[in-house]
Amino acid sequence: KAGVTQTPRYLIKTRGQQVTLSCSPISGHRSVSWYQQTPGQGLQFLFEYFSETQRNKGNFPGRFSGRQFSNSRSEMNVSTLELGDSALYLCASSLDRSEGYTFGSGTRLTVV
Amino acid sequence: SQQGEEDPQALSIQEGENATMNCSYKTSINNLQWYRQNSGRGLVHLILIRSNEREKHSGRLRVTLDTSKKSSSLLITASRAADTASYFCLTGTYKYIFGTGTRLKVLA
């Protein structure tokens, strides 16, 4: 079966712009989580969605937002980009959080 | 913030040797999961151990969990060069948080 698909794979944006990242989970998976990975902070939890509802949120500013659609696909949006937002953004899906996650290959965002 | 702290931060061993890495966490958990990441790409799920389990095996992997000490260990036996990667533990109940990771290098 198809894995978790994240698009785009690479992205370069300018400070102050906004960006939208997309994640298509494995068919049948209703839970989608997002993580940010940087060399300094490691893997940081952004948020989790389940059946179109945000179930949990990490400690990120309001510039970071997300949503999940009825087909379980998810998007995350970062507004007013800062240099520090440069990171690998990872999406993971699961049947339920207690069953383990399948990760996508990530979107590498560079803010210049 | 990190839920789990892993040690060592880095580990270098010869092919064929065993590799052990540890994860300590702070709050109660439903389960603990181990993941591998190659070269900064996506993470691969290795094994999941539930809070009521003490030990679990999968191929060359052995995971132990001690909930009284809030710690877990991952043992990779007979390591191979292909095992070179970063390994992370993931813990939580409602919010799942990664540990800081162990960089494993297996020398051929």
Side-chain angles (χ1 to χ4, degrees), chain A residues 26-103:
Chain A
I26 287 175
S27 178
H29 284 191
R30 293 190 294 168
S31 171
V32 174
S33 296
W34 288 88
Y35 290 85
Q36 181 199 63
Q37 186 176 29
T38 60
Q41 298 298 314
L43 283 153
Q44 301 282 324
F45 171 75
L46 280 158
F47 22 67
E48 180 201 6
Y49 287 89
F50 186 87
S51 294
E52 301 180 67
T53 301
Q54 186 180 85
R55 274 206 296 200
N56 280 297
K57 191 176 190 305
N59 298 324
F60 278 80
R63 300 185 297 106
F64 291 80
S65 63
R67 58 179 176 169
Q68 186 180 33
F69 302 96
S70 58
N71 61 359
S72 292
R73 189 177 71 85
S74 178
E75 288 181 348
M76 66 162 282
N77 183 276
V78 188
S79 62
T80 319
L81 284 165
E82 301 175 359
L83 295 178
D85 297 333
S86 294
L88 180 66
Y89 289 88
L90 293 161
C91 165
S93 76
S94 69
L95 281 169
D96 190 272
R97 60 165 80 99
S98 64
E99 300 301 324
Y101 294 97
T102 300
F103 279 81

Side-chain angles (χ1 to χ4, degrees), chain A residues 9 35 37 41 43-45 48 56-57 88 90 97-101 103-105 108, chain B residues 1-2 31 33 35 37 40-43 45 48 50 88 90 93-98:
Chain A
R9 291 287 298 272
Y35 290 85
Q37 186 176 29
Q41 298 298 314
L43 283 153
Q44 301 282 324
F45 171 75
E48 180 201 6
N56 280 297
K57 191 176 190 305
L88 180 66
L90 293 161
R97 60 165 80 99
S98 64
E99 300 301 324
Y101 294 97
F103 279 81
S105 296
R108 187 165 294 281
Chain B
S1 63
Q2 305 298 134
N31 64 64
Q33 304 167 38
Y35 289 81
Q37 185 179 40
R41 298 314 301 176
L43 291 97
H45 181 261
L48 181 152
R50 301 190 190 283
F88 296 90
L90 180 67
T93 50
Y94 300 106
K95 190 184 295 187
Y96 279 76
I97 308 296
F98 278 98

Side-chain angles (χ1 to χ4, degrees), chain B residues 59-105:
Chain B
R60 295 185 295 114
L61 305 179
R62 173 179 168 254
V63 170
T64 60
L65 178 64
D66 187 335
T67 52
S68 66
K69 294 181 180 177
K70 291 187 168 58
S71 69
S72 171
S73 67
L74 171 68
L75 168 68
I76 304 173
T77 60
S79 62
R80 306 165 182 168
D83 295 327
T84 294
S86 291
Y87 293 81
F88 296 90
C89 64
L90 180 67
T91 59
T93 50
Y94 300 106
K95 190 184 295 187
Y96 279 76
I97 308 296
F98 278 98
T100 50
T102 293
R103 293 188 311 279
L104 172 66
K105 187 169 186 178

Side-chain angles (χ1 to χ4, degrees), chain B residues 4-18:
Chain B
E5 294 289 331
E6 293 176 65
D7 76 272
Q9 289 188 335
L11 181 61
S12 187
I13 60 174
Q14 295 292 323
E15 209 168 26
E17 293 182 336
N18 295 341

